Amino acid sequence: MDPVKAGLLGLGTVGGGTVSVLRRNAQEIARRAGRGIVITHAAARNLDKPRSFDTAGIELTSDPQSVVDHPDTQVIIELIGGDTLAHELVMRAIANGKHVVTANKALIAKHGNEIFAAARGRGVMVAFEAAVAGGIPIIKAIREGLAGNHIQWVAGIINGTGNFILTEMRDKGRDFADVLAEAQQLGYAEADPTFDVEGIDAAHKLTILAAIAFGIPLQFESTYTEGITRITREDVEYAEELGYRIKHLGLTRRTEQGIELRVHPTLIPERRLIANVDGVMNAVLVMGDAVGPTLYYGAGAGAEPTASAVVADLVDVVRALTSDPENRVPHLAFQPDALSDVPILPMEEVQTAYYLRMQARDEPGVLADVASILGEHGISIEAVIQQEPQPGSAHASVIMLTYRVPERNMNHAIAAIEALSSIEGTVTRIRMETLDAS
Ligand code: HSE
C-alpha cells in the first residue's frame, strides 16, 4: 500500500524532531500503522536558515497555504504555533477534508471548540497529543485508559521551562534570567517566553486537561493564571527548610460547587513523587474514583519528545485511514502481519549489576578469595562493605556491589564462592538497575 503523504507546517524545533523521528523509525512506524508515512511537503518562514536535520525528498516552500491546499497531502501537521496563522491554516485544512495533527496548545485551548465542530462536520480527525506535556501520552491516558473513572482531579507540572528554571534556582543557585536564556537556547521555551514564566502556556495545557477529564468545553479565559516570576531563591530555600518544594502546578478539581481551574506556584511536601520531578521533566497526577491516583512522567518539551507524541497521532490517523474500522488499533499494537520474531533472551545472557551478600569466616584472605573468583569470571567490584561479626559468631556479613556482567558469569562465580569453606550458607544476590536514561 502506498505511504500516506503528510504536509508539515513549521520546521522549527518540533518540526525538525518530527522529520527526524519519522525518518529514523520509518520501518517500525509502518509496522504499527499498516503503511508508511512520509512528509512530502513542508512550509517554513525562512527557507535559507541552516537546519541540522535532513529534509531530502521534502518539497519546501515558504507558502503554508500551498501545503494545506496540495492535492497530495492527506494529513496536515501543524507545528507553527500561535493562534492566528495556525488557526487559519487548520480551519482551511479541515475545510479541504484533511486530517490535522497539531502540537499547538494555544490553538486548541482558545479555538478548540470551533475547530472540533468543523472537524466533526467534515468527518476528519484533529489529534493534539503533543499539545500537553510533550512526550507524555496524557491525552490518551485520560481519554482512553481512564475512561471507566469519574475523574476527581488532575494536577501537573506541565511547563518544562518553568520547572527547569525552578530546579536550577534551587539546585545551583542560578539566576532566573540566566536559566531562562538557557531554556530558550535548548528549544524548551515558547517563542514568547513570557508564556512559560507567566503561566499562560501551562494554562493552555490545563484547559485541555480539564476538558478531557471532566467533559466540559475548553474554557481558557476562565483559568486562573499566575507565573513564577515573583518566586525568589529565598522562597525556594525557606520552603525547603519547611520540608516543601515549590513547583509551578496546573490543578483542576471537580467540586460540588464547580470546577477549580488554576495555575500557580505551589508548595508540595517534598516526599511526594511529583515534588521530585526536576528539570524539563513534566508529570501529571490524575485521581480517578476507581483507579485512585496515577502518575505520568516524562519530558515535557524538546524536539524529539514532542515529536514522539506528534508521530503517535500520525499513526492513529493513518490507522483510521487504512485499517479495518472494527480493528483500528491492532491488538498487539503492530499490524498482525508485521509482528517480528525477535528471540527472548535466556536469563543467563541478560546483563545486570549485582548486590551480593554472604557470610564469610572472619579470617585473613577470605575477601581476597572471593575477589579473585569474581575476577576470574570477569566481574568487577564497585563497592564492598564488611560488617563486624555478631558477638559469639565467627562469621561476618560481606556485601558487595558489582558492575554489569552476564548472569551466566555470576551464576558460576556464586557457585564457586559458595563452595569456599570460608563462606557459610548461600550467597544472596539482588540484581541492580540504575534505570538512567542512557
Ligand atoms: N514551552 C513549553 C514548555 C514547550 O516549556 O513546557 C512544551 O509545550
Side-chain angles (χ1 to χ4, degrees), residues 176-195:
F176 190 102
D178 172 38
V179 190
L180 175 59
E182 189 183 347
Q184 287 178 285
Q185 195 211 331
L186 290 168
Y188 301 156
E190 295 302 294
D192 175 355
T194 57
F195 275 47

mmCIF file with all atom_site columns, all heavy atoms in Angstrom, residues 176-195:
data_model
loop_
_atom_site.group_PDB
_atom_site.id
_atom_site.type_symbol
_atom_site.label_atom_id
_atom_site.label_alt_id
_atom_site.label_comp_id
_atom_site.label_asym_id
_atom_site.label_entity_id
_atom_site.label_seq_id
_atom_site.pdbx_PDB_ins_code
_atom_site.Cartn_x
_atom_site.Cartn_y
_atom_site.Cartn_z
_atom_site.occupancy
_atom_site.B_iso_or_equiv
_atom_site.pdbx_formal_charge
_atom_site.auth_seq_id
_atom_site.auth_comp_id
_atom_site.auth_asym_id
_atom_site.auth_atom_id
_atom_site.pdbx_PDB_model_num
ATOM 1   N N   . PHE A 1 176 ? 17.348 33.622 37.688 1.00 0.00 ? 176 PHE A N   1
ATOM 2   C CA  . PHE A 1 176 ? 16.177 33.366 36.859 1.00 0.00 ? 176 PHE A CA  1
ATOM 3   C C   . PHE A 1 176 ? 16.482 33.625 35.375 1.00 0.00 ? 176 PHE A C   1
ATOM 4   O O   . PHE A 1 176 ? 16.278 32.758 34.507 1.00 0.00 ? 176 PHE A O   1
ATOM 5   C CB  . PHE A 1 176 ? 15.060 34.308 37.352 1.00 0.00 ? 176 PHE A CB  1
ATOM 6   C CG  . PHE A 1 176 ? 13.722 34.039 36.783 1.00 0.00 ? 176 PHE A CG  1
ATOM 7   C CD1 . PHE A 1 176 ? 12.769 33.366 37.522 1.00 0.00 ? 176 PHE A CD1 1
ATOM 8   C CD2 . PHE A 1 176 ? 13.400 34.477 35.519 1.00 0.00 ? 176 PHE A CD2 1
ATOM 9   C CE1 . PHE A 1 176 ? 11.508 33.120 37.001 1.00 0.00 ? 176 PHE A CE1 1
ATOM 10  C CE2 . PHE A 1 176 ? 12.154 34.239 34.983 1.00 0.00 ? 176 PHE A CE2 1
ATOM 11  C CZ  . PHE A 1 176 ? 11.200 33.562 35.733 1.00 0.00 ? 176 PHE A CZ  1
ATOM 12  N N   . ALA A 1 177 ? 16.997 34.826 35.090 1.00 0.00 ? 177 ALA A N   1
ATOM 13  C CA  . ALA A 1 177 ? 17.170 35.240 33.684 1.00 0.00 ? 177 ALA A CA  1
ATOM 14  C C   . ALA A 1 177 ? 18.177 34.354 32.962 1.00 0.00 ? 177 ALA A C   1
ATOM 15  O O   . ALA A 1 177 ? 18.001 34.003 31.785 1.00 0.00 ? 177 ALA A O   1
ATOM 16  C CB  . ALA A 1 177 ? 17.624 36.696 33.634 1.00 0.00 ? 177 ALA A CB  1
ATOM 17  N N   . ASP A 1 178 ? 19.200 33.978 33.695 1.00 0.00 ? 178 ASP A N   1
ATOM 18  C CA  . ASP A 1 178 ? 20.262 33.157 33.133 1.00 0.00 ? 178 ASP A CA  1
ATOM 19  C C   . ASP A 1 178 ? 19.714 31.768 32.738 1.00 0.00 ? 178 ASP A C   1
ATOM 20  O O   . ASP A 1 178 ? 19.984 31.239 31.651 1.00 0.00 ? 178 ASP A O   1
ATOM 21  C CB  . ASP A 1 178 ? 21.331 33.073 34.236 1.00 0.00 ? 178 ASP A CB  1
ATOM 22  C CG  . ASP A 1 178 ? 22.422 32.102 33.921 1.00 0.00 ? 178 ASP A CG  1
ATOM 23  O OD1 . ASP A 1 178 ? 22.793 32.056 32.749 1.00 0.00 ? 178 ASP A OD1 1
ATOM 24  O OD2 . ASP A 1 178 ? 22.896 31.414 34.854 1.00 0.00 ? 178 ASP A OD2 1
ATOM 25  N N   . VAL A 1 179 ? 18.887 31.191 33.614 1.00 0.00 ? 179 VAL A N   1
ATOM 26  C CA  . VAL A 1 179 ? 18.336 29.855 33.325 1.00 0.00 ? 179 VAL A CA  1
ATOM 27  C C   . VAL A 1 179 ? 17.326 29.949 32.189 1.00 0.00 ? 179 VAL A C   1
ATOM 28  O O   . VAL A 1 179 ? 17.266 29.072 31.312 1.00 0.00 ? 179 VAL A O   1
ATOM 29  C CB  . VAL A 1 179 ? 17.667 29.219 34.570 1.00 0.00 ? 179 VAL A CB  1
ATOM 30  C CG1 . VAL A 1 179 ? 17.349 27.767 34.303 1.00 0.00 ? 179 VAL A CG1 1
ATOM 31  C CG2 . VAL A 1 179 ? 18.543 29.334 35.793 1.00 0.00 ? 179 VAL A CG2 1
ATOM 32  N N   . LEU A 1 180 ? 16.550 31.010 32.193 1.00 0.00 ? 180 LEU A N   1
ATOM 33  C CA  . LEU A 1 180 ? 15.576 31.177 31.111 1.00 0.00 ? 180 LEU A CA  1
ATOM 34  C C   . LEU A 1 180 ? 16.290 31.232 29.759 1.00 0.00 ? 180 LEU A C   1
ATOM 35  O O   . LEU A 1 180 ? 15.860 30.603 28.788 1.00 0.00 ? 180 LEU A O   1
ATOM 36  C CB  . LEU A 1 180 ? 14.735 32.442 31.337 1.00 0.00 ? 180 LEU A CB  1
ATOM 37  C CG  . LEU A 1 180 ? 13.768 32.782 30.202 1.00 0.00 ? 180 LEU A CG  1
ATOM 38  C CD1 . LEU A 1 180 ? 12.785 31.646 29.948 1.00 0.00 ? 180 LEU A CD1 1
ATOM 39  C CD2 . LEU A 1 180 ? 12.990 34.067 30.519 1.00 0.00 ? 180 LEU A CD2 1
ATOM 40  N N   . ALA A 1 181 ? 17.402 31.962 29.718 1.00 0.00 ? 181 ALA A N   1
ATOM 41  C CA  . ALA A 1 181 ? 18.158 32.061 28.446 1.00 0.00 ? 181 ALA A CA  1
ATOM 42  C C   . ALA A 1 181 ? 18.615 30.671 28.011 1.00 0.00 ? 181 ALA A C   1
ATOM 43  O O   . ALA A 1 181 ? 18.562 30.333 26.813 1.00 0.00 ? 181 ALA A O   1
ATOM 44  C CB  . ALA A 1 181 ? 19.355 32.992 28.633 1.00 0.00 ? 181 ALA A CB  1
ATOM 45  N N   . GLU A 1 182 ? 19.027 29.851 28.961 1.00 0.00 ? 182 GLU A N   1
ATOM 46  C CA  . GLU A 1 182 ? 19.462 28.501 28.588 1.00 0.00 ? 182 GLU A CA  1
ATOM 47  C C   . GLU A 1 182 ? 18.279 27.673 28.075 1.00 0.00 ? 182 GLU A C   1
ATOM 48  O O   . GLU A 1 182 ? 18.407 26.927 27.097 1.00 0.00 ? 182 GLU A O   1
ATOM 49  C CB  . GLU A 1 182 ? 20.117 27.797 29.790 1.00 0.00 ? 182 GLU A CB  1
ATOM 50  C CG  . GLU A 1 182 ? 20.757 26.491 29.359 1.00 0.00 ? 182 GLU A CG  1
ATOM 51  C CD  . GLU A 1 182 ? 21.356 25.694 30.512 1.00 0.00 ? 182 GLU A CD  1
ATOM 52  O OE1 . GLU A 1 182 ? 21.513 26.237 31.620 1.00 0.00 ? 182 GLU A OE1 1
ATOM 53  O OE2 . GLU A 1 182 ? 21.643 24.509 30.270 1.00 0.00 ? 182 GLU A OE2 1
ATOM 54  N N   . ALA A 1 183 ? 17.116 27.816 28.719 1.00 0.00 ? 183 ALA A N   1
ATOM 55  C CA  . ALA A 1 183 ? 15.926 27.068 28.279 1.00 0.00 ? 183 ALA A CA  1
ATOM 56  C C   . ALA A 1 183 ? 15.553 27.466 26.855 1.00 0.00 ? 183 ALA A C   1
ATOM 57  O O   . ALA A 1 183 ? 15.144 26.627 26.040 1.00 0.00 ? 183 ALA A O   1
ATOM 58  C CB  . ALA A 1 183 ? 14.764 27.334 29.226 1.00 0.00 ? 183 ALA A CB  1
ATOM 59  N N   . GLN A 1 184 ? 15.737 28.751 26.537 1.00 0.00 ? 184 GLN A N   1
ATOM 60  C CA  . GLN A 1 184 ? 15.439 29.209 25.175 1.00 0.00 ? 184 GLN A CA  1
ATOM 61  C C   . GLN A 1 184 ? 16.408 28.571 24.188 1.00 0.00 ? 184 GLN A C   1
ATOM 62  O O   . GLN A 1 184 ? 16.024 28.090 23.132 1.00 0.00 ? 184 GLN A O   1
ATOM 63  C CB  . GLN A 1 184 ? 15.540 30.733 25.096 1.00 0.00 ? 184 GLN A CB  1
ATOM 64  C CG  . GLN A 1 184 ? 14.383 31.422 25.769 1.00 0.00 ? 184 GLN A CG  1
ATOM 65  C CD  . GLN A 1 184 ? 14.537 32.928 25.710 1.00 0.00 ? 184 GLN A CD  1
ATOM 66  O OE1 . GLN A 1 184 ? 15.336 33.497 26.444 1.00 0.00 ? 184 GLN A OE1 1
ATOM 67  N NE2 . GLN A 1 184 ? 13.792 33.564 24.823 1.00 0.00 ? 184 GLN A NE2 1
ATOM 68  N N   . GLN A 1 185 ? 17.663 28.563 24.594 1.00 0.00 ? 185 GLN A N   1
ATOM 69  C CA  . GLN A 1 185 ? 18.694 28.013 23.715 1.00 0.00 ? 185 GLN A CA  1
ATOM 70  C C   . GLN A 1 185 ? 18.488 26.512 23.483 1.00 0.00 ? 185 GLN A C   1
ATOM 71  O O   . GLN A 1 185 ? 18.753 25.992 22.408 1.00 0.00 ? 185 GLN A O   1
ATOM 72  C CB  . GLN A 1 185 ? 20.042 28.276 24.373 1.00 0.00 ? 185 GLN A CB  1
ATOM 73  C CG  . GLN A 1 185 ? 21.214 28.104 23.473 1.00 0.00 ? 185 GLN A CG  1
ATOM 74  C CD  . GLN A 1 185 ? 22.405 27.629 24.290 1.00 0.00 ? 185 GLN A CD  1
ATOM 75  O OE1 . GLN A 1 185 ? 22.522 27.929 25.493 1.00 0.00 ? 185 GLN A OE1 1
ATOM 76  N NE2 . GLN A 1 185 ? 23.264 26.873 23.657 1.00 0.00 ? 185 GLN A NE2 1
ATOM 77  N N   . LEU A 1 186 ? 17.962 25.820 24.494 1.00 0.00 ? 186 LEU A N   1
ATOM 78  C CA  . LEU A 1 186 ? 17.735 24.373 24.379 1.00 0.00 ? 186 LEU A CA  1
ATOM 79  C C   . LEU A 1 186 ? 16.434 24.056 23.626 1.00 0.00 ? 186 LEU A C   1
ATOM 80  O O   . LEU A 1 186 ? 16.099 22.893 23.431 1.00 0.00 ? 186 LEU A O   1
ATOM 81  C CB  . LEU A 1 186 ? 17.687 23.732 25.776 1.00 0.00 ? 186 LEU A CB  1
ATOM 82  C CG  . LEU A 1 186 ? 19.025 23.698 26.516 1.00 0.00 ? 186 LEU A CG  1
ATOM 83  C CD1 . LEU A 1 186 ? 18.831 23.316 27.983 1.00 0.00 ? 186 LEU A CD1 1
ATOM 84  C CD2 . LEU A 1 186 ? 19.973 22.706 25.849 1.00 0.00 ? 186 LEU A CD2 1
ATOM 85  N N   . GLY A 1 187 ? 15.704 25.092 23.236 1.00 0.00 ? 187 GLY A N   1
ATOM 86  C CA  . GLY A 1 187 ? 14.472 24.865 22.460 1.00 0.00 ? 187 GLY A CA  1
ATOM 87  C C   . GLY A 1 187 ? 13.292 24.465 23.325 1.00 0.00 ? 187 GLY A C   1
ATOM 88  O O   . GLY A 1 187 ? 12.300 23.960 22.822 1.00 0.00 ? 187 GLY A O   1
ATOM 89  N N   . TYR A 1 188 ? 13.348 24.718 24.644 1.00 0.00 ? 188 TYR A N   1
ATOM 90  C CA  . TYR A 1 188 ? 12.227 24.370 25.523 1.00 0.00 ? 188 TYR A CA  1
ATOM 91  C C   . TYR A 1 188 ? 11.174 25.479 25.552 1.00 0.00 ? 188 TYR A C   1
ATOM 92  O O   . TYR A 1 188 ? 9.984  25.206 25.670 1.00 0.00 ? 188 TYR A O   1
ATOM 93  C CB  . TYR A 1 188 ? 12.694 24.180 26.982 1.00 0.00 ? 188 TYR A CB  1
ATOM 94  C CG  . TYR A 1 188 ? 13.727 23.112 27.225 1.00 0.00 ? 188 TYR A CG  1
ATOM 95  C CD1 . TYR A 1 188 ? 14.561 23.180 28.345 1.00 0.00 ? 188 TYR A CD1 1
ATOM 96  C CD2 . TYR A 1 188 ? 13.865 22.027 26.368 1.00 0.00 ? 188 TYR A CD2 1
ATOM 97  C CE1 . TYR A 1 188 ? 15.504 22.202 28.606 1.00 0.00 ? 188 TYR A CE1 1
ATOM 98  C CE2 . TYR A 1 188 ? 14.815 21.047 26.619 1.00 0.00 ? 188 TYR A CE2 1
ATOM 99  C CZ  . TYR A 1 188 ? 15.637 21.144 27.739 1.00 0.00 ? 188 TYR A CZ  1
ATOM 100 O OH  . TYR A 1 188 ? 16.569 20.181 27.997 1.00 0.00 ? 188 TYR A OH  1
ATOM 101 N N   . ALA A 1 189 ? 11.653 26.717 25.500 1.00 0.00 ? 189 ALA A N   1
ATOM 102 C CA  . ALA A 1 189 ? 10.757 27.848 25.769 1.00 0.00 ? 189 ALA A CA  1
ATOM 103 C C   . ALA A 1 189 ? 9.882  28.160 24.556 1.00 0.00 ? 189 ALA A C   1
ATOM 104 O O   . ALA A 1 189 ? 10.206 27.818 23.421 1.00 0.00 ? 189 ALA A O   1
ATOM 105 C CB  . ALA A 1 189 ? 11.582 29.068 26.159 1.00 0.00 ? 189 ALA A CB  1
ATOM 106 N N   . GLU A 1 190 ? 8.766  28.822 24.828 1.00 0.00 ? 190 GLU A N   1
ATOM 107 C CA  . GLU A 1 190 ? 7.896  29.305 23.761 1.00 0.00 ? 190 GLU A CA  1
ATOM 108 C C   . GLU A 1 190 ? 8.584  30.438 23.009 1.00 0.00 ? 190 GLU A C   1
ATOM 109 O O   . GLU A 1 190 ? 9.519  31.060 23.526 1.00 0.00 ? 190 GLU A O   1
ATOM 110 C CB  . GLU A 1 190 ? 6.592  29.838 24.364 1.00 0.00 ? 190 GLU A CB  1
ATOM 111 C CG  . GLU A 1 190 ? 5.753  28.788 25.039 1.00 0.00 ? 190 GLU A CG  1
ATOM 112 C CD  . GLU A 1 190 ? 5.383  27.655 24.097 1.00 0.00 ? 190 GLU A CD  1
ATOM 113 O OE1 . GLU A 1 190 ? 4.646  27.880 23.138 1.00 0.00 ? 190 GLU A OE1 1
ATOM 114 O OE2 . GLU A 1 190 ? 5.849  26.518 24.321 1.00 0.00 ? 190 GLU A OE2 1
ATOM 115 N N   . ALA A 1 191 ? 8.075  30.729 21.799 1.00 0.00 ? 191 ALA A N   1
ATOM 116 C CA  . ALA A 1 191 ? 8.624  31.841 21.015 1.00 0.00 ? 191 ALA A CA  1
ATOM 117 C C   . ALA A 1 191 ? 8.608  33.108 21.880 1.00 0.00 ? 191 ALA A C   1
ATOM 118 O O   . ALA A 1 191 ? 9.563  33.884 21.886 1.00 0.00 ? 191 ALA A O   1
ATOM 119 C CB  . ALA A 1 191 ? 7.795  32.031 19.756 1.00 0.00 ? 191 ALA A CB  1
ATOM 120 N N   . ASP A 1 192 ? 7.522  33.302 22.598 1.00 0.00 ? 192 ASP A N   1
ATOM 121 C CA  . ASP A 1 192 ? 7.471  34.392 23.580 1.00 0.00 ? 192 ASP A CA  1
ATOM 122 C C   . ASP A 1 192 ? 7.579  33.749 24.965 1.00 0.00 ? 192 ASP A C   1
ATOM 123 O O   . ASP A 1 192 ? 6.614  33.178 25.470 1.00 0.00 ? 192 ASP A O   1
ATOM 124 C CB  . ASP A 1 192 ? 6.142  35.138 23.440 1.00 0.00 ? 192 ASP A CB  1
ATOM 125 C CG  . ASP A 1 192 ? 5.984  36.203 24.520 1.00 0.00 ? 192 ASP A CG  1
ATOM 126 O OD1 . ASP A 1 192 ? 6.855  36.297 25.414 1.00 0.00 ? 192 ASP A OD1 1
ATOM 127 O OD2 . ASP A 1 192 ? 4.981  36.934 24.469 1.00 0.00 ? 192 ASP A OD2 1
ATOM 128 N N   . PRO A 1 193 ? 8.765  33.823 25.591 1.00 0.00 ? 193 PRO A N   1
ATOM 129 C CA  . PRO A 1 193 ? 8.966  33.066 26.837 1.00 0.00 ? 193 PRO A CA  1
ATOM 130 C C   . PRO A 1 193 ? 8.124  33.563 28.008 1.00 0.00 ? 193 PRO A C   1
ATOM 131 O O   . PRO A 1 193 ? 8.042  32.884 29.031 1.00 0.00 ? 193 PRO A O   1
ATOM 132 C CB  . PRO A 1 193 ? 10.458 33.231 27.118 1.00 0.00 ? 193 PRO A CB  1
ATOM 133 C CG  . PRO A 1 193 ? 10.880 34.417 26.359 1.00 0.00 ? 193 PRO A CG  1
ATOM 134 C CD  . PRO A 1 193 ? 9.957  34.550 25.182 1.00 0.00 ? 193 PRO A CD  1
ATOM 135 N N   . THR A 1 194 ? 7.486  34.727 27.871 1.00 0.00 ? 194 THR A N   1
ATOM 136 C CA  . THR A 1 194 ? 6.595  35.133 28.975 1.00 0.00 ? 194 THR A CA  1
ATOM 137 C C   . THR A 1 194 ? 5.445  34.132 29.089 1.00 0.00 ? 194 THR A C   1
ATOM 138 O O   . THR A 1 194 ? 4.857  33.978 30.158 1.00 0.00 ? 194 THR A O   1
ATOM 139 C CB  . THR A 1 194 ? 6.026  36.561 28.801 1.00 0.00 ? 194 THR A CB  1
ATOM 140 O OG1 . THR A 1 194 ? 5.353  36.621 27.560 1.00 0.00 ? 194 THR A OG1 1
ATOM 141 C CG2 . THR A 1 194 ? 7.092  37.616 28.842 1.00 0.00 ? 194 THR A CG2 1
ATOM 142 N N   . PHE A 1 195 ? 5.107  33.442 27.998 1.00 0.00 ? 195 PHE A N   1
ATOM 143 C CA  . PHE A 1 195 ? 4.064  32.411 28.077 1.00 0.00 ? 195 PHE A CA  1
ATOM 144 C C   . PHE A 1 195 ? 4.458  31.324 29.072 1.00 0.00 ? 195 PHE A C   1
ATOM 145 O O   . PHE A 1 195 ? 3.617  30.765 29.751 1.00 0.00 ? 195 PHE A O   1
ATOM 146 C CB  . PHE A 1 195 ? 3.831  31.775 26.689 1.00 0.00 ? 195 PHE A CB  1
ATOM 147 C CG  . PHE A 1 195 ? 2.866  32.547 25.834 1.00 0.00 ? 195 PHE A CG  1
ATOM 148 C CD1 . PHE A 1 195 ? 2.974  33.914 25.711 1.00 0.00 ? 195 PHE A CD1 1
ATOM 149 C CD2 . PHE A 1 195 ? 1.848  31.901 25.153 1.00 0.00 ? 195 PHE A CD2 1
ATOM 150 C CE1 . PHE A 1 195 ? 2.091  34.642 24.926 1.00 0.00 ? 195 PHE A CE1 1
ATOM 151 C CE2 . PHE A 1 195 ? 0.955  32.607 24.379 1.00 0.00 ? 195 PHE A CE2 1
ATOM 152 C CZ  . PHE A 1 195 ? 1.073  33.981 24.258 1.00 0.00 ? 195 PHE A CZ  1
#
